[in-house]
Amino acid sequence: MSDQHLKTPIAGLHHVTAISGPAQENLDFYTKALKTRLIKKTVNFDAPEMYHLYYGAQDARPGSVMTFFNREERGQGQAGAGAAQAFAYAVAPEDLPEWQSVLGGSLSTRFGAQVLSVTDPHGQAFELVAESGAGPWGVFHSVTLWIDDPDPTAAILTEVFGYAFIGEERGTGGRRLRYGLPGDAPGRVVDLWVADEAVKARPGPGTIHHVAFRARDTAHQSALREVLLARGERVTEVKDRQYFKAIYFREPGGVLFEIATDGPGFDIDEPMTQLGEGLKLPPQYEADRARIEAHLPALTVD
Ligand code: ZN
């Protein structure tokens, strides 16, 4: 019987993946309004007829990577229980007013910090959280998971991933339970949102598809996988995502979790200075490049 408590904590968030509407509008918002860097232009490896666009901090560090499966239709998904509700960037407190003048949104206070809540053009909620000592622009502060029954999810966070309970706060329409990792890893906070009214998540543009946590290396990923399997979680085999190795499981609250490695990294198929410039396909699709490109909408990057 393996030890079900892992001694090495997870290293924060690796990336968050959401579903957007039309790719060009998504690209314009995340690069022009939000000023994150397009760090990879590829396709959904499980559905290569759609783009998969990656944005991040200038250095594309894990913990800053926001990705979208870009659908061209506008049918809206619905935020609700069983999915992540929002992702959040850390921002220097003095920069918050300027961001609000650019992005709009509403200000509130959460656990003593100012939070700007914004919605992107396709209905995706995200936040800017004021934090003194915030790193370079584009690094995550946290993610919020919308969960009906928080205890089983909290058990994964605390017993497997190494998070500690920080506190609970009442918000409009529900309560928020905060969990954090020791140290200063980017994206080291996870909030569980427990709403007063039952609303089920429905996938589609404007909703988060999965949340990827960061393993320290492949050995750590493998140890986490063993612990999760021993607890009865249904974890996938290790999948090669070209830029990282990934395992997936649906946590007890219904949110799809991924655990990803830092390596090989986003510069495996183009230099750091040129990230996002070319359409990058994994080896299994290269033979099909002409047909895949013909079916993708043209994108203007300027
Ligand atoms: Zn992922």
Side-chain angles (χ1 to χ4, degrees):
M1 190 69 196
S2 70
D3 181 0
Q4 295 195 359
H5 298 246
L6 210 64
K7 290 186 180 64
T8 311
I10 215 95
L13 294 175
H14 183 283
H15 66 271
V16 176
T17 295
I19 303 168
S20 83
Q24 185 71 57
E25 295 169 8
N26 176 254
L27 176 68
D28 288 345
F29 183 78
Y30 282 89
T31 59
K32 292 177 183 169
L34 205 58
K35 299 190 189 312
T36 52
R37 180 184 179 192
L38 177 66
I39 60 171
K40 196 60 67 182
K41 183 164 60 174
T42 184
V43 295
N44 182 338
F45 288 7
D46 298 321
E49 68 283 356
M50 74 175 77
Y51 279 115
H52 189 187
L53 300 181
Y54 289 56
Y55 309 96
Q58 274 302 318
D59 62 3
R61 71 180 64 188
S64 78
V65 179
M66 185 63 215
T67 94
F68 291 89
F69 296 139
N70 306 96
R71 293 197 187 162
E72 291 306 303
E73 80 270 23
R74 291 176 183 278
Q76 276 296 304
Q78 163 77 54
Q85 180 259 333
F87 57 95
Y89 295 105
V91 60
E94 62 271 23
D95 293 344
L96 209 50
E98 192 179 334
W99 278 115
Q100 188 177 24
S101 72
V102 172
L103 300 171
S106 58
L107 282 171
S108 60
T109 302
R110 233 183 246 171
F111 294 97
Q114 274 210 304
V115 178
L116 180 65
S117 299
V118 189
T119 304
D120 86 1
H122 300 136
Q124 177 60 57
F126 69 97
E127 294 147 356
L128 273 56
V129 179
E131 189 176 62
S132 53
W137 171 239
V139 171
F140 288 133
H141 171 273
S142 57
V143 68
T144 297
L145 315 179
W146 189 330
I147 301 289
D148 275 339
D149 173 12
D151 291 349
T153 302
I156 297 287
L157 293 176
T158 58
E159 295 170 15
V160 183
F161 286 2
Y163 285 79
F165 178 65
I166 290 179
E168 175 173 344
E169 220 176 61
R170 185 75 210 166
T172 308
R175 60 197 172 100
R176 179 175 295 272
L177 309 173
R178 176 156 290 189
Y179 295 82
L181 290 167
D184 58 358
R188 64 186 175 279
V189 172
V190 173
D191 283 355
L192 303 186
W193 173 249
V194 184
D196 297 334
E197 282 185 44
V199 181
K200 283 284 173 223
R202 190 179 67 243
T207 64
I208 293 174
H209 186 268
H210 64 267
V211 174
F213 295 87
R214 183 180 175 197
R216 288 167 195 276
D217 49 34
T218 52
H220 188 214
Q221 181 185 56
S222 161
L224 285 159
R225 184 169 184 277
E226 291 304 315
V227 170
L228 288 163
L229 287 171
R231 293 173 66 103
E233 299 299 331
R234 293 167 58 181
V235 191
T236 66
E237 296 295 315
V238 177
K239 292 178 189 283
D240 182 357
R241 293 314 194 188
Q242 182 80 348
Y243 311 109
F244 43 85
K245 308 281 190 225
I247 57 174
Y248 302 84
F249 70 103
R250 205 167 283 283
E251 59 79 35
V255 182
L256 184 60
F257 276 6
E258 174 180 347
I259 300 171
T261 57
D262 286 6
F266 295 106
D267 59 352
I268 188 179
D269 57 4
E270 56 190 343
M272 275 302 291
T273 52
Q274 290 167 28
L275 292 183
E277 289 184 11
L279 176 68
K280 295 299 167 186
L281 299 177
Q284 66 266 33
Y285 292 137
E286 267 306 339
D288 248 355
R289 175 177 280 272
R291 193 186 57 82
I292 287 171
E293 283 188 345
H295 283 85
L296 289 169
L299 277 188
T300 307
V301 182
D302 53 27

PDB file of all heavy atoms in Angstrom, residues 42-52 68-71 209 241 281-282 284-285 291-292 295-296:
ATOM      1  N   THR A  42      -1.123  26.620 -32.198  1.00  0.00           N
ATOM      2  CA  THR A  42      -1.209  25.231 -32.617  1.00  0.00           C
ATOM      3  C   THR A  42      -2.684  24.865 -32.741  1.00  0.00           C
ATOM      4  O   THR A  42      -3.539  25.757 -32.806  1.00  0.00           O
ATOM      5  CB  THR A  42      -0.415  24.317 -31.635  1.00  0.00           C
ATOM      6  OG1 THR A  42      -0.434  22.966 -32.112  1.00  0.00           O
ATOM      7  CG2 THR A  42      -0.949  24.373 -30.232  1.00  0.00           C
ATOM      8  N   VAL A  43      -2.966  23.559 -32.838  1.00  0.00           N
ATOM      9  CA  VAL A  43      -4.349  23.108 -32.931  1.00  0.00           C
ATOM     10  C   VAL A  43      -4.658  22.236 -31.724  1.00  0.00           C
ATOM     11  O   VAL A  43      -3.758  21.755 -31.039  1.00  0.00           O
ATOM     12  CB  VAL A  43      -4.601  22.299 -34.234  1.00  0.00           C
ATOM     13  CG1 VAL A  43      -4.425  23.183 -35.462  1.00  0.00           C
ATOM     14  CG2 VAL A  43      -3.674  21.074 -34.314  1.00  0.00           C
ATOM     15  N   ASN A  44      -5.946  22.058 -31.470  1.00  0.00           N
ATOM     16  CA  ASN A  44      -6.382  21.116 -30.445  1.00  0.00           C
ATOM     17  C   ASN A  44      -5.924  19.719 -30.885  1.00  0.00           C
ATOM     18  O   ASN A  44      -6.335  19.240 -31.930  1.00  0.00           O
ATOM     19  CB  ASN A  44      -7.919  21.195 -30.336  1.00  0.00           C
ATOM     20  CG  ASN A  44      -8.483  20.282 -29.267  1.00  0.00           C
ATOM     21  OD1 ASN A  44      -7.865  19.300 -28.862  1.00  0.00           O
ATOM     22  ND2 ASN A  44      -9.671  20.622 -28.797  1.00  0.00           N
ATOM     23  N   PHE A  45      -5.055  19.090 -30.097  1.00  0.00           N
ATOM     24  CA  PHE A  45      -4.483  17.806 -30.502  1.00  0.00           C
ATOM     25  C   PHE A  45      -5.562  16.720 -30.636  1.00  0.00           C
ATOM     26  O   PHE A  45      -5.357  15.722 -31.312  1.00  0.00           O
ATOM     27  CB  PHE A  45      -3.404  17.334 -29.503  1.00  0.00           C
ATOM     28  CG  PHE A  45      -2.121  18.136 -29.559  1.00  0.00           C
ATOM     29  CD1 PHE A  45      -2.007  19.282 -30.334  1.00  0.00           C
ATOM     30  CD2 PHE A  45      -1.010  17.727 -28.830  1.00  0.00           C
ATOM     31  CE1 PHE A  45      -0.821  20.012 -30.374  1.00  0.00           C
ATOM     32  CE2 PHE A  45       0.178  18.447 -28.867  1.00  0.00           C
ATOM     33  CZ  PHE A  45       0.272  19.591 -29.635  1.00  0.00           C
ATOM     34  N   ASP A  46      -6.690  16.896 -29.963  1.00  0.00           N
ATOM     35  CA  ASP A  46      -7.775  15.915 -30.065  1.00  0.00           C
ATOM     36  C   ASP A  46      -8.822  16.331 -31.092  1.00  0.00           C
ATOM     37  O   ASP A  46      -9.771  15.589 -31.337  1.00  0.00           O
ATOM     38  CB  ASP A  46      -8.441  15.712 -28.690  1.00  0.00           C
ATOM     39  CG  ASP A  46      -7.440  15.166 -27.665  1.00  0.00           C
ATOM     40  OD1 ASP A  46      -6.613  14.302 -28.041  1.00  0.00           O
ATOM     41  OD2 ASP A  46      -7.470  15.617 -26.509  1.00  0.00           O
ATOM     42  N   ALA A  47      -8.701  17.518 -31.667  1.00  0.00           N
ATOM     43  CA  ALA A  47      -9.669  18.030 -32.651  1.00  0.00           C
ATOM     44  C   ALA A  47      -8.957  19.083 -33.496  1.00  0.00           C
ATOM     45  O   ALA A  47      -9.161  20.286 -33.314  1.00  0.00           O
ATOM     46  CB  ALA A  47     -10.882  18.640 -31.937  1.00  0.00           C
ATOM     47  N   PRO A  48      -8.108  18.655 -34.453  1.00  0.00           N
ATOM     48  CA  PRO A  48      -7.204  19.594 -35.135  1.00  0.00           C
ATOM     49  C   PRO A  48      -7.888  20.574 -36.085  1.00  0.00           C
ATOM     50  O   PRO A  48      -7.199  21.378 -36.712  1.00  0.00           O
ATOM     51  CB  PRO A  48      -6.248  18.659 -35.897  1.00  0.00           C
ATOM     52  CG  PRO A  48      -6.995  17.382 -36.061  1.00  0.00           C
ATOM     53  CD  PRO A  48      -7.890  17.251 -34.863  1.00  0.00           C
ATOM     54  N   GLU A  49      -9.221  20.538 -36.162  1.00  0.00           N
ATOM     55  CA  GLU A  49      -9.894  21.528 -36.995  1.00  0.00           C
ATOM     56  C   GLU A  49     -10.048  22.857 -36.257  1.00  0.00           C
ATOM     57  O   GLU A  49     -10.516  23.830 -36.830  1.00  0.00           O
ATOM     58  CB  GLU A  49     -11.258  21.008 -37.469  1.00  0.00           C
ATOM     59  CG  GLU A  49     -12.323  20.840 -36.392  1.00  0.00           C
ATOM     60  CD  GLU A  49     -12.147  19.585 -35.522  1.00  0.00           C
ATOM     61  OE1 GLU A  49     -11.224  18.785 -35.811  1.00  0.00           O
ATOM     62  OE2 GLU A  49     -12.916  19.429 -34.562  1.00  0.00           O
ATOM     63  N   MET A  50      -9.655  22.908 -35.005  1.00  0.00           N
ATOM     64  CA  MET A  50      -9.729  24.201 -34.289  1.00  0.00           C
ATOM     65  C   MET A  50      -8.349  24.589 -33.753  1.00  0.00           C
ATOM     66  O   MET A  50      -7.526  23.736 -33.429  1.00  0.00           O
ATOM     67  CB  MET A  50     -10.761  24.170 -33.151  1.00  0.00           C
ATOM     68  CG  MET A  50     -10.349  23.387 -31.920  1.00  0.00           C
ATOM     69  SD  MET A  50     -11.558  23.534 -30.563  1.00  0.00           S
ATOM     70  CE  MET A  50     -12.854  22.397 -31.129  1.00  0.00           C
ATOM     71  N   TYR A  51      -8.141  25.923 -33.694  1.00  0.00           N
ATOM     72  CA  TYR A  51      -6.906  26.429 -33.114  1.00  0.00           C
ATOM     73  C   TYR A  51      -6.832  26.107 -31.624  1.00  0.00           C
ATOM     74  O   TYR A  51      -7.859  25.975 -30.929  1.00  0.00           O
ATOM     75  CB  TYR A  51      -6.835  27.955 -33.229  1.00  0.00           C
ATOM     76  CG  TYR A  51      -6.394  28.481 -34.566  1.00  0.00           C
ATOM     77  CD1 TYR A  51      -7.277  29.236 -35.351  1.00  0.00           C
ATOM     78  CD2 TYR A  51      -5.101  28.277 -35.032  1.00  0.00           C
ATOM     79  CE1 TYR A  51      -6.875  29.764 -36.572  1.00  0.00           C
ATOM     80  CE2 TYR A  51      -4.689  28.789 -36.251  1.00  0.00           C
ATOM     81  CZ  TYR A  51      -5.579  29.538 -37.017  1.00  0.00           C
ATOM     82  OH  TYR A  51      -5.182  30.047 -38.212  1.00  0.00           O
ATOM     83  N   HIS A  52      -5.611  26.043 -31.131  1.00  0.00           N
ATOM     84  CA  HIS A  52      -5.340  26.068 -29.698  1.00  0.00           C
ATOM     85  C   HIS A  52      -4.284  27.151 -29.514  1.00  0.00           C
ATOM     86  O   HIS A  52      -3.127  26.962 -29.893  1.00  0.00           O
ATOM     87  CB  HIS A  52      -4.844  24.697 -29.230  1.00  0.00           C
ATOM     88  CG  HIS A  52      -4.731  24.567 -27.738  1.00  0.00           C
ATOM     89  ND1 HIS A  52      -4.180  23.473 -27.124  1.00  0.00           N
ATOM     90  CD2 HIS A  52      -5.108  25.404 -26.742  1.00  0.00           C
ATOM     91  CE1 HIS A  52      -4.214  23.641 -25.809  1.00  0.00           C
ATOM     92  NE2 HIS A  52      -4.760  24.808 -25.549  1.00  0.00           N
ATOM     93  N   PHE A  68      -6.515  28.578 -25.055  1.00  0.00           N
ATOM     94  CA  PHE A  68      -7.913  28.505 -25.492  1.00  0.00           C
ATOM     95  C   PHE A  68      -8.070  27.526 -26.638  1.00  0.00           C
ATOM     96  O   PHE A  68      -7.300  27.560 -27.608  1.00  0.00           O
ATOM     97  CB  PHE A  68      -8.409  29.880 -25.969  1.00  0.00           C
ATOM     98  CG  PHE A  68      -8.535  30.872 -24.861  1.00  0.00           C
ATOM     99  CD1 PHE A  68      -7.453  31.668 -24.506  1.00  0.00           C
ATOM    100  CD2 PHE A  68      -9.723  31.006 -24.161  1.00  0.00           C
ATOM    101  CE1 PHE A  68      -7.560  32.582 -23.465  1.00  0.00           C
ATOM    102  CE2 PHE A  68      -9.842  31.917 -23.122  1.00  0.00           C
ATOM    103  CZ  PHE A  68      -8.758  32.708 -22.770  1.00  0.00           C
ATOM    104  N   PHE A  69      -9.079  26.672 -26.534  1.00  0.00           N
ATOM    105  CA  PHE A  69      -9.591  25.955 -27.702  1.00  0.00           C
ATOM    106  C   PHE A  69     -10.521  26.949 -28.391  1.00  0.00           C
ATOM    107  O   PHE A  69     -11.529  27.355 -27.819  1.00  0.00           O
ATOM    108  CB  PHE A  69     -10.369  24.704 -27.279  1.00  0.00           C
ATOM    109  CG  PHE A  69      -9.535  23.657 -26.572  1.00  0.00           C
ATOM    110  CD1 PHE A  69     -10.036  22.970 -25.478  1.00  0.00           C
ATOM    111  CD2 PHE A  69      -8.251  23.337 -27.019  1.00  0.00           C
ATOM    112  CE1 PHE A  69      -9.285  21.995 -24.832  1.00  0.00           C
ATOM    113  CE2 PHE A  69      -7.492  22.354 -26.378  1.00  0.00           C
ATOM    114  CZ  PHE A  69      -8.009  21.693 -25.283  1.00  0.00           C
ATOM    115  N   ASN A  70     -10.149  27.345 -29.593  1.00  0.00           N
ATOM    116  CA  ASN A  70     -10.861  28.450 -30.246  1.00  0.00           C
ATOM    117  C   ASN A  70     -11.934  27.907 -31.177  1.00  0.00           C
ATOM    118  O   ASN A  70     -11.647  27.404 -32.256  1.00  0.00           O
ATOM    119  CB  ASN A  70      -9.869  29.310 -31.024  1.00  0.00           C
ATOM    120  CG  ASN A  70      -8.721  29.774 -30.157  1.00  0.00           C
ATOM    121  OD1 ASN A  70      -7.664  29.160 -30.137  1.00  0.00           O
ATOM    122  ND2 ASN A  70      -8.932  30.836 -29.417  1.00  0.00           N
ATOM    123  N   ARG A  71     -13.169  28.026 -30.739  1.00  0.00           N
ATOM    124  CA  ARG A  71     -14.291  27.624 -31.588  1.00  0.00           C
ATOM    125  C   ARG A  71     -14.758  28.839 -32.374  1.00  0.00           C
ATOM    126  O   ARG A  71     -14.667  29.960 -31.885  1.00  0.00           O
ATOM    127  CB  ARG A  71     -15.447  27.109 -30.732  1.00  0.00           C
ATOM    128  CG  ARG A  71     -15.121  25.818 -30.031  1.00  0.00           C
ATOM    129  CD  ARG A  71     -16.401  25.192 -29.565  1.00  0.00           C
ATOM    130  NE  ARG A  71     -16.142  24.025 -28.732  1.00  0.00           N
ATOM    131  CZ  ARG A  71     -17.046  23.502 -27.928  1.00  0.00           C
ATOM    132  NH1 ARG A  71     -18.240  24.049 -27.833  1.00  0.00           N
ATOM    133  NH2 ARG A  71     -16.754  22.446 -27.207  1.00  0.00           N
ATOM    134  N   HIS A 209     -12.123  24.773 -19.562  1.00  0.00           N
ATOM    135  CA  HIS A 209     -12.139  23.350 -19.894  1.00  0.00           C
ATOM    136  C   HIS A 209     -11.405  22.524 -18.839  1.00  0.00           C
ATOM    137  O   HIS A 209     -11.891  21.499 -18.397  1.00  0.00           O
ATOM    138  CB  HIS A 209     -11.505  23.155 -21.269  1.00  0.00           C
ATOM    139  CG  HIS A 209     -11.589  21.762 -21.792  1.00  0.00           C
ATOM    140  ND1 HIS A 209     -10.597  20.830 -21.574  1.00  0.00           N
ATOM    141  CD2 HIS A 209     -12.552  21.133 -22.524  1.00  0.00           C
ATOM    142  CE1 HIS A 209     -10.953  19.689 -22.165  1.00  0.00           C
ATOM    143  NE2 HIS A 209     -12.126  19.839 -22.743  1.00  0.00           N
ATOM    144  N   ARG A 241       2.108  16.043 -24.781  1.00  0.00           N
ATOM    145  CA  ARG A 241       1.488  17.260 -25.296  1.00  0.00           C
ATOM    146  C   ARG A 241       2.512  18.149 -26.002  1.00  0.00           C
ATOM    147  O   ARG A 241       2.339  19.363 -26.076  1.00  0.00           O
ATOM    148  CB  ARG A 241       0.773  18.021 -24.179  1.00  0.00           C
ATOM    149  CG  ARG A 241      -0.443  17.298 -23.620  1.00  0.00           C
ATOM    150  CD  ARG A 241      -1.333  16.737 -24.701  1.00  0.00           C
ATOM    151  NE  ARG A 241      -2.653  16.321 -24.224  1.00  0.00           N
ATOM    152  CZ  ARG A 241      -3.531  15.671 -24.977  1.00  0.00           C
ATOM    153  NH1 ARG A 241      -3.230  15.348 -26.219  1.00  0.00           N
ATOM    154  NH2 ARG A 241      -4.707  15.322 -24.491  1.00  0.00           N
ATOM    155  N   LEU A 281       2.438  22.176 -35.473  1.00  0.00           N
ATOM    156  CA  LEU A 281       1.638  20.950 -35.403  1.00  0.00           C
ATOM    157  C   LEU A 281       2.477  19.853 -34.777  1.00  0.00           C
ATOM    158  O   LEU A 281       3.683  19.781 -35.025  1.00  0.00           O
ATOM    159  CB  LEU A 281       1.207  20.515 -36.808  1.00  0.00           C
ATOM    160  CG  LEU A 281       0.330  21.501 -37.586  1.00  0.00           C
ATOM    161  CD1 LEU A 281       0.040  20.959 -38.992  1.00  0.00           C
ATOM    162  CD2 LEU A 281      -0.970  21.770 -36.853  1.00  0.00           C
ATOM    163  N   PRO A 282       1.847  18.989 -33.975  1.00  0.00           N
ATOM    164  CA  PRO A 282       2.600  17.846 -33.443  1.00  0.00           C
ATOM    165  C   PRO A 282       2.931  16.900 -34.594  1.00  0.00           C
ATOM    166  O   PRO A 282       2.270  16.928 -35.639  1.00  0.00           O
ATOM    167  CB  PRO A 282       1.630  17.222 -32.454  1.00  0.00           C
ATOM    168  CG  PRO A 282       0.279  17.618 -32.936  1.00  0.00           C
ATOM    169  CD  PRO A 282       0.434  18.958 -33.576  1.00  0.00           C
ATOM    170  N   GLN A 284       2.279  13.938 -35.377  1.00  0.00           N
ATOM    171  CA  GLN A 284       1.238  13.086 -35.981  1.00  0.00           C
ATOM    172  C   GLN A 284       0.371  13.838 -36.983  1.00  0.00           C
ATOM    173  O   GLN A 284      -0.343  13.215 -37.768  1.00  0.00           O
ATOM    174  CB  GLN A 284       0.363  12.430 -34.891  1.00  0.00           C
ATOM    175  CG  GLN A 284      -0.493  13.374 -34.055  1.00  0.00           C
ATOM    176  CD  GLN A 284       0.175  13.805 -32.761  1.00  0.00           C
ATOM    177  OE1 GLN A 284       1.403  13.938 -32.705  1.00  0.00           O
ATOM    178  NE2 GLN A 284      -0.616  14.040 -31.723  1.00  0.00           N
ATOM    179  N   TYR A 285       0.429  15.174 -36.977  1.00  0.00           N
ATOM    180  CA  TYR A 285      -0.398  15.943 -37.912  1.00  0.00           C
ATOM    181  C   TYR A 285       0.407  16.600 -39.024  1.00  0.00           C
ATOM    182  O   TYR A 285      -0.175  17.204 -39.924  1.00  0.00           O
ATOM    183  CB  TYR A 285      -1.191  17.027 -37.174  1.00  0.00           C
ATOM    184  CG  TYR A 285      -2.253  16.483 -36.252  1.00  0.00           C
ATOM    185  CD1 TYR A 285      -2.427  17.026 -34.978  1.00  0.00           C
ATOM    186  CD2 TYR A 285      -3.081  15.438 -36.647  1.00  0.00           C
ATOM    187  CE1 TYR A 285      -3.401  16.530 -34.114  1.00  0.00           C
ATOM    188  CE2 TYR A 285      -4.049  14.935 -35.785  1.00  0.00           C
ATOM    189  CZ  TYR A 285      -4.207  15.481 -34.527  1.00  0.00           C
ATOM    190  OH  TYR A 285      -5.165  14.998 -33.683  1.00  0.00           O
ATOM    191  N   ARG A 291      -4.022  20.259 -45.419  1.00  0.00           N
ATOM    192  CA  ARG A 291      -5.471  20.126 -45.230  1.00  0.00           C
ATOM    193  C   ARG A 291      -5.909  20.839 -43.941  1.00  0.00           C
ATOM    194  O   ARG A 291      -6.930  21.520 -43.899  1.00  0.00           O
ATOM    195  CB  ARG A 291      -5.844  18.638 -45.154  1.00  0.00           C
ATOM    196  CG  ARG A 291      -7.334  18.355 -45.263  1.00  0.00           C
ATOM    197  CD  ARG A 291      -7.632  16.868 -45.025  1.00  0.00           C
ATOM    198  NE  ARG A 291      -7.153  16.407 -43.737  1.00  0.00           N
ATOM    199  CZ  ARG A 291      -7.811  16.581 -42.588  1.00  0.00           C
ATOM    200  NH1 ARG A 291      -8.979  17.201 -42.575  1.00  0.00           N
ATOM    201  NH2 ARG A 291      -7.309  16.127 -41.455  1.00  0.00           N
ATOM    202  N   ILE A 292      -5.114  20.698 -42.869  1.00  0.00           N
ATOM    203  CA  ILE A 292      -5.452  21.345 -41.597  1.00  0.00           C
ATOM    204  C   ILE A 292      -5.423  22.865 -41.747  1.00  0.00           C
ATOM    205  O   ILE A 292      -6.363  23.559 -41.332  1.00  0.00           O
ATOM    206  CB  ILE A 292      -4.479  20.865 -40.483  1.00  0.00           C
ATOM    207  CG1 ILE A 292      -4.805  19.417 -40.099  1.00  0.00           C
ATOM    208  CG2 ILE A 292      -4.563  21.773 -39.259  1.00  0.00           C
ATOM    209  CD1 ILE A 292      -3.788  18.762 -39.178  1.00  0.00           C
ATOM    210  N   HIS A 295      -8.411  24.431 -43.442  1.00  0.00           N
ATOM    211  CA  HIS A 295      -9.679  24.475 -42.702  1.00  0.00           C
ATOM    212  C   HIS A 295      -9.658  25.457 -41.530  1.00  0.00           C
ATOM    213  O   HIS A 295     -10.683  25.690 -40.908  1.00  0.00           O
ATOM    214  CB  HIS A 295     -10.045  23.074 -42.206  1.00  0.00           C
ATOM    215  CG  HIS A 295     -10.597  22.202 -43.286  1.00  0.00           C
ATOM    216  ND1 HIS A 295      -9.806  21.472 -44.131  1.00  0.00           N
ATOM    217  CD2 HIS A 295     -11.880  21.974 -43.681  1.00  0.00           C
ATOM    218  CE1 HIS A 295     -10.578  20.819 -45.000  1.00  0.00           C
ATOM    219  NE2 HIS A 295     -11.833  21.110 -44.744  1.00  0.00           N
ATOM    220  N   LEU A 296      -8.490  26.003 -41.214  1.00  0.00           N
ATOM    221  CA  LEU A 296      -8.416  26.959 -40.095  1.00  0.00           C
ATOM    222  C   LEU A 296      -8.651  28.374 -40.629  1.00  0.00           C
ATOM    223  O   LEU A 296      -8.212  28.700 -41.727  1.00  0.00           O
ATOM    224  CB  LEU A 296      -7.035  26.888 -39.442  1.00  0.00           C
ATOM    225  CG  LEU A 296      -6.725  25.631 -38.638  1.00  0.00           C
ATOM    226  CD1 LEU A 296      -5.234  25.586 -38.282  1.00  0.00           C
ATOM    227  CD2 LEU A 296      -7.575  25.561 -37.370  1.00  0.00           C
TER     228      LEU A 296
END
